[in-house]
Amino acid sequence: MNEEKCTAFLLAAGFGTRLRPLTQIRPKPLLPVGGIPMLDLAYAWLRQQGHTNVLVNAHHLWPQIAAWAEENGAQLQVEQPDILGTGGGLRAALPRLADRVAIFNGDILADVDLGALQAACPEDGAAMALRTTNELGTITPVLDRDGQVIRIGDIIATDDAPPKPGGGPGQHFTGIHVMSRAAIERVPATGFACVVRTAYRDLVPEGRVQGVVHPGIWVDVGTPAAYLQANMDVLDGTLTLSIDPWSRAERGLGGSLIGAGARIEGEIDRCVIGAGAVIPQGASLRGCVVWDGVTAPEGVHQSAVMIANETTFQVQRG
């Protein structure tokens, strides 16, 4: 069967180390937010932006990503035995990619305007979505001048780029970008590679990288606390998803979201309850997330993520 060239590459191969033990059961992109796997949310956004031919890569717990790709009609690239990184995965996929490719994270909640990135992408170059933050902290800052990226942290800079900011407000790379085939060809042909430390190391000094500031949603659910908070933000209405979670769920006590087929016999308050989950008598949950099909243990639970029967992870918040 001849596969059509893919206009989007969906990153789903990572280990999700900071989210353990959640990611020891599921790949990070398949963790549910508002009862919906993040990979579903990313894929829905890509399709809403006009990308119907999407390639997803997989490494950690790859059979789960493979099953997702089969179910959703996405093309699949399994990276085994070794993970290939943000650049190596793209380079390996090059024969299957279109002339310009949108690269999107399967484990980030974002509404980046991919059309604006496509329009800004220079011929034989790239365009990256930048986000303004008041706390650069350990985030790698990106400087641009009139839309042209001139510095990425200490990694790359044009000859006339000012020094790297030491902290405070600034812009950083969201990980969402559009690259031409010629730009991807700057990545070494084999092995693990970081796209910034390979392709962008050449492209930035050549003036071939445009920056587009993204003013909308960008949420990195990289830690258990951030994951729990994202779910609570969905309940509060402060985080809008590409798929309306309320279209497939009911509303319960304290604004709880209750998935299809869930059975609530105990007490819940401001919780996300997955489809087919069971909250038995003797269980009292507040501010918790319960994954699909999980039976919550008896007792009082607050700020916990229940990821499997008899497996509850208490989240330290603050």
Side-chain angles (χ1 to χ4, degrees):
M1 181 179 70
N2 292 325
E3 295 178 329
E4 294 187 54
K5 297 291 186 179
C6 295
T7 61
F9 188 73
L10 190 51
L11 298 166
F15 293 98
T17 306
R18 293 181 299 152
L19 266 167
R20 291 175 179 168
L22 279 61
T23 49
Q24 292 173 324
I25 293 177
R26 296 186 189 180
K28 183 182 174 185
L30 290 181
L31 268 56
V33 173
I36 303 173
M38 287 190 288
L39 204 52
D40 284 21
L41 298 170
Y43 191 52
W45 183 251
L46 287 172
R47 294 180 69 85
Q48 290 167 28
Q49 295 277 295
H51 295 277
T52 56
N53 297 312
V54 177
L55 176 62
V56 60
N57 70 339
H59 174 76
H60 176 58
L61 300 176
W62 71 265
Q64 294 186 42
I65 301 293
W68 178 91
E70 177 70 21
E71 181 179 348
N72 288 276
Q75 295 187 37
L76 175 69
Q77 173 174 287
V78 177
E79 299 176 7
Q80 291 291 337
D82 300 316
I83 195 169
L84 295 177
T86 55
L90 270 170
R91 189 65 171 83
L94 192 59
R96 303 167 68 180
L97 300 178
D99 291 338
R100 289 191 179 182
V101 182
I103 299 102
F104 204 88
N105 302 90
D107 57 3
I108 295 290
L109 305 174
D111 61 354
V112 170
D113 184 346
L114 300 177
L117 283 180
Q118 293 271 8
C121 180
E123 184 177 355
D124 298 341
M128 53 172 52
L130 307 179
R131 174 176 172 267
T132 301
T133 177
N134 290 323
E135 298 180 6
L136 279 177
T138 58
I139 299 175
T140 302
V142 175
L143 300 181
D144 69 334
R145 180 188 298 122
D146 298 326
Q148 180 184 324
V149 172
I150 57 175
R151 174 180 285 281
I152 302 179
D154 287 326
I155 304 170
I156 314 158
T158 58
D159 291 339
D160 60 346
K164 182 188 79 170
Q171 296 172 344
H172 71 94
F173 178 30
T174 63
I176 298 169
H177 48 142
V178 168
M179 298 184 75
S180 66
R181 289 180 60 85
I184 297 172
E185 287 174 347
R186 305 287 188 111
V187 178
T190 58
F192 179 92
C194 166
V195 71
V196 172
R197 295 179 182 276
T198 54
Y200 282 106
R201 187 182 291 278
D202 292 339
L203 293 168
V204 168
E206 294 175 7
R208 293 184 179 275
V209 181
Q210 292 296 111
V212 178
V213 176
H214 169 57
I217 295 169
W218 186 87
V219 178
D220 176 10
V221 292
T223 65
Y227 172 73
L228 183 63
Q229 187 60 54
N231 278 277
M232 297 302 105
D233 289 346
V234 170
L235 295 182
D236 295 340
T238 57
L239 175 57
T240 302
L241 303 178
S242 57
I243 300 172
D244 180 8
W246 300 104
S247 66
R248 54 183 70 180
E250 297 180 357
R251 195 177 297 272
L253 292 176
S256 295
L257 184 150
I258 304 174
R263 191 168 78 247
I264 311 298
E265 298 172 352
E267 300 177 355
I268 61 171
D269 181 17
R270 196 168 178 254
C271 293
V272 176
I273 310 298
V278 178
I279 312 301
Q281 291 185 5
S284 178
L285 279 59
R286 179 179 177 83
C288 294
V289 175
V290 183
W291 286 2
D292 293 357
V294 172
T295 297
E298 294 184 1
V300 177
H301 304 274
Q302 183 167 348
S303 301
V305 181
M306 300 177 182
I307 60 180
N309 292 339
E310 302 180 1
T311 305
T312 296
F313 180 71
Q314 184 66 45
V315 178
Q316 300 299 318
R317 305 187 68 179

